Amino acid sequence: MVEIAATAIDAATLSTREVNALMRARLESGSTEICVENPNARHNLAVALLRPGRVRFLGSVGYYCGGLMDGAEIHVEGSAGWGLAESMSQGHVVVHGGAGNGAAAAIRGGTVVIHGDAAARLGVSMKGGLVLVAGDCGYMAGFMGQKGTLVVCGNTGQAFADSMYATTCYVGGSIGALGTDAVIEPLSAEEAATLDGLLAEHLPAELRAQKPAGRDFKKVVAGRKLWNFDKHNWKAWQDAL
Amino acid sequence: MDDTAVDSTRPLLQSSGTYTAEVMRGIHTKAETGIYEIRGYGTLRQRRWATFDDLTFLPCGLTRIPLEGYREKCSTKTVLGGRFAKRPLELEIPIMITGMSWGALSYNAKAALAKAAAKVGTSNTTGDGGLSPAEREFAKDYVYEVLPSRYGIDVHDLRGASAIELTIGQGAKPGTGGLLLGSKISETIAHQRDLPVGVDQRSPARHPDMLGPDDMVIKIEELREATDGQVPIFVKLGASRTFDDVKLAAKAGADVVVVDGMEGGTGASPAILQEHTGIPTLAAVCEARAALEDCGLYGEVQLIIAGGIRDGVDAAKAMALGADAVYIGTAALISLNCNKPLYVEDYKALGTEPYHCHHCHTGRCPVGITTQDPELMKRLDIEQGAERALNLLRAMTLEIQMLARACGKSDVHHLEPEDMAALTMEASIICGVPLAGTRKVFGR
Amino acid sequence: MDTRSILAGLRRMCGILGYFRKTPGSDDQLGATMLSMLEALGRRGPDSAGVALVGPVHRASYIVRIQAGDELDLSQQAIAENREAIETFARGLDNSSNVSSSGVYVRFLLAGDIDLPALTSRIESLGEGIRVLSVGHAMELSKEVGSPRLLEGKHHISAFAGTHGIGHTRLCTESIVDLSHSQPFWGRGAADVAIVHNGHITNYHQLRRKYEQRGVGFVTENDSEVLAVYLAEALNRGATLRQGLDGVLRDMDGAFSCLAVTATEMGFVKDPYAFKPLVVAETDDFVAVATEEIAIRSAIPGDYKVSEAQVEEVRVWSR
């Protein structure tokens, strides 16, 4: 497939609808690398990208960048707003800066990598996939996480991994406070090795070097006390509902 | 011995109006379980508030001319979402099937409803859990619901929809998330929803990436981006602060606002929420219409009303008050044999009887509608169910047409508040319609 | 409840912003920067816009800004009469100077010590619909129904030189847009205090009743006002802005991102649930805070990081 020489799309002169339409058209005609200049933290950029290909934003993006994605790749050189890659089924999203609330909300697959910090509700309701934050994360990360893997190399905020189903979380720094029904479990040697592999694969070398080794991560999963109503667990339910 | 013979020596029983048998039973249950009661169906307590029953139509007499019921046409075509969508939703009738999840409902129930809707030319709404296999196979126009849980959300299914419904809340339990108890989280449902098998699923009350009207503006734009601006975006609200919420939804860019009133149904929810949250559907439709008029968008933004719409009369009254279409849920299930006296022993095993059952949450539905048990589901034959639901939709449509014609309308959408009178003061005040016998509108 | 109060209770769609110059001296671009931020934040033509800008400190005098009346409530004639009454009153004071009017606004300087509540009541009793917008040694509050462009047209924000300020745009859902429900809110009873708020205070009615029982008045039905009342009280009691904002976190319920200014400080507080967005950009030269990053990027060029504030975060910058 011929890589169509990518002149960058200048978002400054185009509406969001036009930027997205141009992006999709290029992806459809086989372009594998698209640059967008001056995204200027606008919302809804690269929503519903359904074809393989890489989009690079030379700046910050606003809300829902990469939302509803199936199979593309997005790199954001600045920061991202709320709902980064929300509901993504497959694909790869990397943010060099930080991400706002609800990053990787409800993703069903794919990977979301944040080099900076993530704000509140990272990976909320996630249904699969991998979320990896090199920095810290904020309040209620992993809330109601159903499946998939959440890795935070730095510190977490309060209510970490609150009310989860079957998402597995790993924390390299300190845990601000565990959420309702979140428990720490021992980390196996295999998991430590897997973590080392993930960090090596997804983070640039200098960044990875600043982060803990796989074996120093803590593993957090659901205690399962909220999975079924049970009067003997009244204390847990009082906080949960 | 004849137990029913009147025994004058038996003491006269006097029950408390405060601590009724139902209240006592509720306290006994809580003492046993330590948790609130969860059940299906919706508001069960007797309706002592203003409802559609407090309105009556004023057919033509000398001042207006009726249309002949069997000859003159009365159009039922309904178009929703012309505000921004390139492809508004066009329906043959103003009645649509509301969102009911596959999970709460069986595959056969979803299939029957999808087939009926397709046949009559109306839409089916997916409900929690995304597009079900039944709808994938049988539905023609489906409204794709995006709920706070985001279970089963798939961008391709979203793009295949005839409309997207961004759900903020539901009439039965506004402000709270959905519930599906463990017995109904089967392997297939668990797989669809990415949950462990057998959990008592509690859905979130809030969207994960959207927390208020400011965010909703952006979210609606995102959904439009995802669908190339083709299809209408509905915003569904559980009727609570309806006047405020409808204005916000309209201003935020919704093509259509759905308002689901207090009497709306549910497969499983805490009983107290069903009984004591939200405002009745009659009040809701009046607030919703007033809200749209207040921001100058009545007519531009369409209104779908839901929550205890039982027949064509309720639908016609809702439309006269301002609805462009109505959603039915419980009525559609009843057409599929819900509460029919079939398999009566199984109703009894649940502790209930036909015409009194609201035990959807147990997953042991005797007629195969709200169950995931394959054996029970067999009791609902898809073809027969589809035919029954289709008949209900047709009969309801005929009822609406009959009333419209009697009021001199050649189009059901021409029904107006002025076609009705109120039978109670409250209905007059709430609806702005004269109290029959007085020619006066009270409270305005 | 009348229509107004029902409308005011609506969840509004709001954007807030703040800018604080860290380097010494006055920034003659302050107003222009704030205006750019306001314009970027207002989507599709906001229904009201307002700023509270802090300029050079008039150590010896207070700047008093008054609205002679709301054009939606009063006739032009009534407003003109009010304006005249205010001007006459102002000129009649021994310690006043620089009395000027523009549209429905009157501004003058007042030297020496003043009893702020007494002065406010006095001015507001001069005519029906008169509202004191702000009083301070350095802070000036302007708000307008309409877009930031209109705000600029009426108040020449872009010419304002100063050190810090906050702003607000509102996309409202009412058909009637009312200036008294617009923001920023001045902390009535305290000089140089103003707030902007995005969100909804859910224990507003309860708090308001408590204040009213103690004789503290409210002028609108807007829940954001209680934040201004709260901070004004705190500062008058001798608390610092930091302490006041910590108190907000403790005593207010609901969703809020709230920005506040005093003569020498700017601060923000974010609610415990992160319901409302607030992003922060900070360099050695400035701090910019806004509901959306786009407001900062559009107004301030440069290579700086922007990050989202954390739950329950309180930050204050001082000069």
Side-chain angles (χ1 to χ4, degrees), chain A residues 20 64 70 86 146 227 231, chain B residues 33 156 193 200 222 225:
Chain A
N20 287 335
Y64 310 136
D70 184 8
E86 70 90 10
Q146 296 171 224
W227 284 25
K231 64 179 173 256
Chain B
T33 64
H156 303 284
R193 299 189 182 200
D200 290 325
E222 186 204 7
E225 281 300 307

Side-chain angles (χ1 to χ4, degrees), chain A residues 3-9 26 31-37 54:
Chain A
E3 156 125 15
I4 292 167
T7 45
I9 298 175
R26 289 195 187 185
S31 186
T32 53
E33 183 90 22
I34 300 171
C35 271
V36 180
E37 289 173 336
R54 177 159 55 202

Side-chain angles (χ1 to χ4, degrees), chain A residues 16-17 20-21 24 43-44 47-48 50 63-64 66-70 82-83 86-87 89 101-102 105-106 108 121 124-125 127 140 143-144 146-147 163-166 226-231 234 237 240-241, chain B residues 32-36 38 86 148-156 158-159 179 181-182 191-196 198-204 206 208-211 215 218-219 221-226 228-229:
Chain A
T16 303
R17 185 67 58 88
N20 287 335
R24 288 200 198 108
H43 306 306
N44 296 320
V47 164
L50 306 177
Y63 284 31
Y64 310 136
L68 294 163
M69 180 160 82
D70 184 8
W82 285 28
E86 70 90 10
S87 297
S89 54
N101 285 2
R108 303 192 68 194
R121 288 181 287 275
V124 52
S125 260
K127 297 150 173 45
M140 251 192 194
F143 181 53
M144 298 190 89
Q146 296 171 224
K147 280 183 185 168
S163 301
M164 292 204 307
Y165 288 106
L226 295 177
W227 284 25
N228 294 92
F229 292 117
D230 176 357
K231 64 179 173 256
W234 174 76
W237 284 102
L241 279 175
Chain B
E32 168 61 33
T33 64
I35 195 167
Y36 41 79
I38 291 169
K86 293 187 195 143
S149 70
R150 306 291 174 85
Y151 295 133
I153 292 292
D154 179 305
V155 63
H156 303 284
L158 185 120
R159 284 165 64 87
L179 272 181
L181 300 182
H191 180 76
Q192 172 93 343
R193 299 189 182 200
D194 295 307
L195 288 171
V199 288
D200 290 325
Q201 166 229 299
R202 304 149 286 121
S203 302
R206 302 188 304 249
D209 56 0
M210 180 189 96
L211 290 170
D215 308 332
I218 309 174
K219 189 72 190 169
E221 284 170 4
E222 186 204 7
L223 293 170
R224 259 192 245 288
E225 281 300 307
D228 302 319

Side-chain angles (χ1 to χ4, degrees), chain B residues 78-102:
Chain B
T78 301
V79 179
L80 301 169
R83 186 183 188 196
F84 294 127
K86 293 187 195 143
R87 248 192 307 124
L89 178 58
E90 293 183 10
L91 305 168
E92 294 300 318
I93 61 172
I95 309 163
M96 307 147 78
I97 310 288
T98 197
M100 292 181 281
S101 77
W102 174 50

Side-chain angles (χ1 to χ4, degrees), chain B residues 137-286:
Chain B
E137 192 167 347
F138 299 116
K140 186 173 135 293
D141 281 301
Y142 63 86
V143 177
Y144 194 75
E145 224 180 321
V146 178
L147 294 106
S149 70
R150 306 291 174 85
Y151 295 133
I153 292 292
D154 179 305
V155 63
H156 303 284
D157 295 339
L158 185 120
R159 284 165 64 87
S162 305
I164 313 293
E165 184 165 283
L166 182 61
T167 297
I168 307 304
Q170 178 185 349
K173 44 161 186 65
T176 46
L179 272 181
L180 194 62
L181 300 182
S183 62
K184 297 170 89 168
I185 307 279
S186 62
E187 292 258 359
T188 25
I189 299 296
H191 180 76
Q192 172 93 343
R193 299 189 182 200
D194 295 307
L195 288 171
V197 177
V199 288
D200 290 325
Q201 166 229 299
R202 304 149 286 121
S203 302
R206 302 188 304 249
H207 281 270
D209 56 0
M210 180 189 96
L211 290 170
D214 333 24
D215 308 332
M216 191 168 74
V217 176
I218 309 174
K219 189 72 190 169
I220 290 177
E221 284 170 4
E222 186 204 7
L223 293 170
R224 259 192 245 288
E225 281 300 307
T227 55
D228 302 319
Q230 293 289 321
V231 300
I233 311 291
F234 297 5
V235 171
K236 176 172 174 179
L237 303 161
S240 172
R241 292 164 208 261
T242 303
F243 186 79
D244 301 4
D245 288 348
V246 168
K247 287 183 77 171
L248 281 166
K251 278 268 186 162
D255 291 274
V256 176
V257 179
V258 180
V259 177
D260 189 10
M262 186 177 100
E263 296 98 330
T266 171
S269 296
I272 60 163
L273 294 180
Q274 295 174 59
E275 300 293 355
H276 299 284
T277 62
I279 65 171
T281 304
L282 180 72
V285 58
C286 295

Side-chain angles (χ1 to χ4, degrees), chain B residues 102 105-119 124 132-135 137-139 332 335-337 367-369 374 376-391:
Chain B
W102 174 50
L105 264 52
S106 65
Y107 173 95
N108 287 14
K110 288 294 273 179
L113 293 176
K115 285 187 141 216
K119 194 109 190 260
N124 214 44
S132 71
E135 281 149 332
E137 192 167 347
F138 299 116
S335 79
L336 296 181
N337 289 337
V367 291
I369 300 171
L376 289 176
M377 187 171 75
K378 282 184 190 150
R379 298 177 180 183
L380 173 58
D381 178 272
I382 295 178
E383 287 311 316
Q384 285 176 18
E387 196 184 323
R388 300 177 70 80
L390 175 64
N391 283 341

Side-chain angles (χ1 to χ4, degrees), chain C residues 210-224:
Chain C
K210 283 194 189 145
Y211 279 113
E212 285 175 333
Q213 245 179 304
R214 283 199 272 119
V216 176
F218 281 66
V219 298
T220 72
E221 302 294 324
N222 186 329
D223 59 283
S224 302

